[in-house]
Amino acid sequence: MKVLYTTEAVSTGGRDGQVRTADGLLDTQVATPKELGGPGGATNPEQLFAAGYAACFHSALRLVAGKAGVAIDGSTVAAEVGLGANGAGGFGLTVALTTSLPGVPAEQAEKLVAKAHEVCPYSNATRGNIDVAIALA
């Protein structure tokens, strides 16, 4: 694979610390959510993953729709990320992607979303590793 872009982020303090990208555009505190016994009050790795996956999948969808000549103005992608014990002493993730394509017929929307799932780097990275559910709103 020819790498087209590389970036870096550094964490200090893990779930209760800070993350910062090399260019400084992302520089934020992270905290364990209250639901996991932490203090909350800051973003967490699951929220960052959800935001990244939603944006990446939406970009893949826009690419696929553009190639198909389909306008998807007003479209949205929501990513819900779950964290749980994996039964092997560690933890795992689940993802539910919900896409809204106003004005696009359901059958066509399903095909576009399926193709985007083939193209999206996050989908390719997670395929076979975590459960990813895809739905239309």
Side-chain angles (χ1 to χ4, degrees), residues 58-88:
H58 201 182
S59 290
L61 182 62
R62 292 171 54 90
L63 175 72
V64 167
K67 285 183 176 181
V70 178
I72 59 168
D73 300 330
S75 62
T76 61
V77 174
E80 181 179 286
V81 173
L83 171 72
N86 68 6

Side-chain angles (χ1 to χ4, degrees), residues 55-126:
C56 190
F57 194 86
H58 201 182
S59 290
L61 182 62
R62 292 171 54 90
L63 175 72
V64 167
K67 285 183 176 181
V70 178
I72 59 168
D73 300 330
S75 62
T76 61
V77 174
E80 181 179 286
V81 173
L83 171 72
N86 68 6
F91 298 90
L93 299 173
T94 62
V95 175
L97 296 172
T98 304
T99 302
S100 174
L101 294 168
V104 178
E107 185 177 318
Q108 187 175 35
E110 288 173 7
K111 287 178 183 177
L112 291 172
V113 168
K115 184 66 176 173
H117 193 43
E118 293 175 15
V119 170
C120 175
Y122 274 65
S123 292
N124 288 325
T126 60

